Amino acid sequence: MYDVKRHLREVNASLKPGVRLVAISKYHPNDFIMAAYEEGQRIFGESHEQELKEKHQSLPQDIEWHFIGHLQTNKVKYIVPYISMIEAVDSLKLLREIQKQAAKADRVVRVLLELHIAEEATKYGLTLDACRELLDGGEWRQMPNVQICGLMMMASNTDDEAQIAREFQTAADFFDEVKTQYFADEPAFCERSWGMSDDYHIAMQHGSTMVRIGTMIFGPRVY
Ligand SMILES: *Cc1c(COP(=O)(O)O)cnc(C)c1O
């Protein structure tokens, strides 16, 4: 069997102090997740509601699940009762639905706003201007069941490391702007979720507090 434990130990040994690991377990079976769990990993990330539901139901209840994929508003109600963090909020509409469902479930759901900085047209996320607009609008301040904890982004899928570094730095600078402008008095706004298997070393040099790593821990995904 693929040696998840060894790979997880190697990844953990390579993290900068203060950087937390979200083990991205999408498409991987429960025994892979349990191997990582036995090694002490508690935060896992999934990107499909149905797959997450099955895993949540059959795996230990102290796992903190992060939803990292594009979330359709009609799926929000299914994950809100148990999700630890929704990482990829990219519209006010989605934020409103999370508020509505979180109020029903009587909990506060932690979220990150997803930025679109990469060059690929296919990636989701808010442009920097759209993000400023959302925050300027102020509606989020009237959402007692949503806590915005920071920003999330994906760099371009390219071998050009200088470009990847520029994109992470753009996100880091934008985080500072947003922190000062809107969240200066909110210590909970502190997360910068960037860095995946191929680029997390670069991400950690540009302010990442949370890396989302799948392939390096669990091997290639079989779709
Ligand atoms: C799949 C995925 C990852 C993990 O990618 P790896 O290259 O396997 O580390 C990280 N973030 C998001 C948003 C993903 O969808």
Side-chain angles (χ1 to χ4, degrees), residues 125-196:
L126 297 155
T127 63
L128 302 191
D129 276 340
C131 189
R132 289 186 186 102
E133 200 178 301
L134 188 157
L135 291 168
D136 277 337
E139 195 178 323
W140 57 277
R141 295 185 194 272
Q142 269 80 56
M143 296 184 178
N145 300 82
V146 173
Q147 180 158 51
I148 302 177
C149 294
L151 304 175
M152 177 270 205
M153 58 82 77
M154 270 189 275
S156 293
N157 185 9
T158 170
D159 291 334
D160 184 348
E161 295 201 352
Q163 182 185 341
I164 293 169
R166 270 198 307 279
E167 292 177 359
F168 287 142
Q169 191 54 44
T170 297
D173 292 341
F174 187 71
F175 175 92
D176 291 342
E177 175 192 322
V178 166
K179 175 78 185 166
T180 309
Q181 283 261 349
Y182 308 95
F183 297 98
D185 300 326
E186 298 204 29
F189 187 90
C190 63
E191 297 294 356
R192 294 172 292 265
S193 175
W194 41 87
M196 314 186 357

Side-chain angles (χ1 to χ4, degrees), residues 32-45:
F32 278 37
I33 298 175
M34 278 314 294
Y37 181 91
E38 284 161 13
E39 197 60 33
Q41 183 65 28
R42 288 295 179 271
I43 311 177
F44 292 86

Side-chain angles (χ1 to χ4, degrees), residues 2 11 14 21-22 24 28 168 194-203 211-221:
Y2 189 82
V11 167
S14 71
L21 171 65
V22 182
I24 304 301
H28 293 295
F168 287 142
W194 41 87
M196 314 186 357
S197 291
D198 286 340
D199 59 18
Y200 75 98
H201 285 101
I202 306 173
V211 290
R212 307 178 310 268
I213 299 180
T215 307
M216 269 201 68
I217 299 168
F218 299 111
R221 286 179 286 275

Side-chain angles (χ1 to χ4, degrees), residues 67-101:
F67 197 87
I68 59 155
H70 181 68
L71 182 58
Q72 293 167 287
T73 47
N74 63 348
K75 300 282 171 63
V76 170
K77 58 176 172 292
Y78 301 122
I79 68 168
V80 151
Y82 66 87
I83 202 73
S84 170
M85 182 177 269
I86 299 176
E87 288 211 19
V89 173
D90 61 359
S91 71
L92 183 56
K93 183 173 168 239
L94 181 56
L95 213 52
R96 283 179 184 141
E97 181 65 13
I98 296 170
Q99 164 57 34
K100 182 178 157 195
Q101 298 301 334

